[in-house]
Amino acid sequence: MTTLTLRRPDDWHVHLRDGDDLPRTCKDMARYMGRAIVMPNLTPPVTTVALAEAYHARIQAAMAGLPRRFEPLMTLYLTDGTSSDEIRRAAASPVVHGVKLYPAGATTNSEAGVAALDALYPVLEAMEAADLPLLVHGEVTDADIDIFDRERVFIDRHLAPIVERFPGLRVVLEHITTADSVAFVSEAREGVAATITAHHLLLNRNDMLVGGIRPHYYCLPILKRARHQEALRAAASSGNPRFFLGTDSAPHTRTAKESPCGCAGVYTAHASLELYAEVFDSLGAIERLEGFASLHGPAFYRLPVNDDTITLTRGELAVPPSLALGDDELIPLRAGETLSWQVA
Ligand SMILES: NC(=O)N[C@@H](CC(=O)O)C(=O)O
Ligand SMILES: [Zn+2]
Ligand SMILES: [Zn+2]
């Protein structure tokens, strides 16, 4: 197959950042994404509907000069201080589509995240009642839990109890990285889904660590062993509607990544669909890409599918060695290399 036409896709997990970064991130999204679930881990975090609406307006302003727009779907950042009233306001807001749980200290800009999850059960109850999805960075932060086990332990200690206790709460386990998460989501009750990134499908921890350390592959949850990568590839290409596209494209400056204490995040928005196409093609499942990229997400979020299409063609797409980010630069995934699919 040399061309593939599919419904316009959406990105169900992305970091657009703010300020001077928005022109870069919005331009890359607007190339072909219809909508994007926009993560709230700014500094300070997007903890209220008022902050989400203001952020939404800044994104709209950054898109003003672009040839086409995409629709930002906003999220609230859950803290120990989030109130049930704020949840009800969020559910009533046309711009807010979910609430994001970051365990405090789990990832980039998660310091204001949740320290005591049990104490937030009334807030989760309000989300269940208002039918507002919970989006989860699923890793424990306990010092005695190995970083490669943090996702699996989070499921056992926190996610499984929440899913059971709030049977009507829709939950997305974001950017899954393990066979354990694939199994949990596949077998869970209705209303439980997961996003999968392109980089977790393309890479495993050997790619990051063998023959030298590659800071641009460092992200959270961290890349796992090949067995887990295989489970993710199987899930994404299975046609199971519980799994859908979420790039977790997360820009950081080159300086912040290439550092003695480099920060977590991989940038893929410059070529996300082309990267996913490579994976699906290599699995002989390119015809399943449309479900994963364009149909399963809207079904979960109860939104219509996009009403137009895009066409992917086989052909060489050169990725620049670096991209401008504000007055700095970032190194995108596959920088300086050639991809084998492009959007026409
Ligand atoms: N995934 C990452 O490694 N980083 C994300 C945060 C996140 O999604 O956990 C970021 O904001 O940089
Ligand atoms: Zn995360
Ligand atoms: Zn993320």
Side-chain angles (χ1 to χ4, degrees):
M1 199 187 276
T2 56
T3 70
L4 178 74
T5 296
L6 64 161
R7 288 267 181 186
R8 184 175 294 286
D10 306 293
D11 187 344
W12 300 98
H13 179 134
V14 74
H15 301 270
L16 298 180
R17 309 299 193 212
D18 206 353
D20 291 348
D21 294 349
L22 285 175
R24 155 99 271 143
T25 55
C26 291
K27 176 169 160 257
D28 285 344
M29 294 304 297
R31 263 196 322 133
Y32 44 60
M33 290 298 174
R35 294 160 291 198
I37 285 276
V38 179
M39 289 296 131
N41 61 332
L42 305 181
T43 35
V46 182
T47 50
T48 64
V49 175
L51 287 170
E53 286 174 350
Y55 184 27
H56 185 262
R58 294 197 297 281
I59 295 166
Q60 299 281 14
M63 285 194 289
L66 294 174
R68 65 169 291 284
R69 314 193 128 237
F70 75 98
E71 189 188 349
L73 309 173
M74 310 310 290
T75 57
L76 284 201
Y77 185 117
L78 200 59
T79 74
D80 291 319
T82 303
S83 70
S84 299
D85 281 345
E86 198 62 43
I87 295 299
R88 286 185 277 274
R89 274 193 288 277
S93 160
V95 306
V96 179
H97 292 264
V99 176
K100 182 68 191 269
L101 164 63
Y102 292 102
T107 187
T108 305
N109 292 343
S110 64
E111 297 75 20
V114 173
L117 196 45
D118 296 4
L120 275 178
Y121 275 17
V123 172
L124 299 184
E125 204 175 307
M127 289 176 59
E128 180 185 35
D131 198 21
L132 193 59
L134 175 69
L135 319 182
V136 182
H137 180 108
E139 289 192 288
V140 295
T141 55
D142 310 54
D144 62 330
I145 303 293
D146 189 273
I147 187 165
F148 290 99
D149 298 330
R150 288 180 170 201
E151 183 175 288
R152 180 176 55 75
V153 174
F154 183 89
I155 293 174
D156 297 343
R157 287 194 191 165
H158 301 292
L159 192 60
I162 287 173
V163 163
E164 194 185 317
R165 174 131 177 188
F166 304 100
L169 181 64
R170 282 183 290 151
V171 179
V172 186
L173 185 53
E174 301 286 341
H175 49 41
I176 59 169
T177 64
T178 58
D180 309 271
S181 289
V182 169
F184 178 80
V185 170
S186 301
E187 290 153 25
R189 63 152 170 81
E190 213 174 307
V192 177
T195 53
I196 307 181
T197 77
H199 47 284
H200 287 102
L201 294 171
L202 287 162
L203 303 168
N204 63 59
R205 66 194 201 182
N206 273 13
D207 296 304
M208 180 174 59
L209 296 171
V210 172
I213 188 161
R214 290 173 188 75
H216 296 289
Y217 290 172
Y218 175 62
C219 62
L220 290 168
I222 198 160
L223 296 171
K224 305 297 192 297
R225 58 173 72 237
R227 171 174 81 79
H228 294 292
Q229 179 192 14
E230 289 311 317
L232 298 175
R233 288 170 173 248
S237 62
S238 66
N240 184 337
R242 289 168 181 252
F243 299 103
F244 44 82
L245 186 158
T247 61
D248 191 21
S249 182
H252 291 278
T253 63
R254 176 179 195 157
T255 324
K257 294 287 292 175
E258 296 176 8
S259 145
C261 185
C263 54
V266 175
Y267 194 74
T268 52
H270 62 297
S272 52
L273 207 63
E274 293 89 339
L275 292 163
Y276 283 109
E278 273 197 15
V279 174
F280 279 68
D281 193 22
S282 74
L283 295 169
I286 193 77
E287 75 289 348
R288 299 247 169 97
L289 181 61
E290 184 181 37
F292 179 77
S294 317
L295 307 178
H296 302 165
F300 180 87
Y301 278 94
R302 300 196 186 130
L303 294 168
V305 298
N306 292 311
D307 56 13
D308 57 347
T309 59
I310 63 163
T311 298
L312 276 159
T313 58
R314 213 184 274 279
E316 298 200 336
L317 175 70
V319 179
S322 76
L323 300 172
L325 180 70
D327 52 14
D328 211 313
E329 62 169 351
L330 72 84
I331 307 298
L333 192 65
R334 295 283 185 81
E337 294 177 32
T338 303
L339 305 179
S340 53
W341 286 87
Q342 57 189 1
V343 176

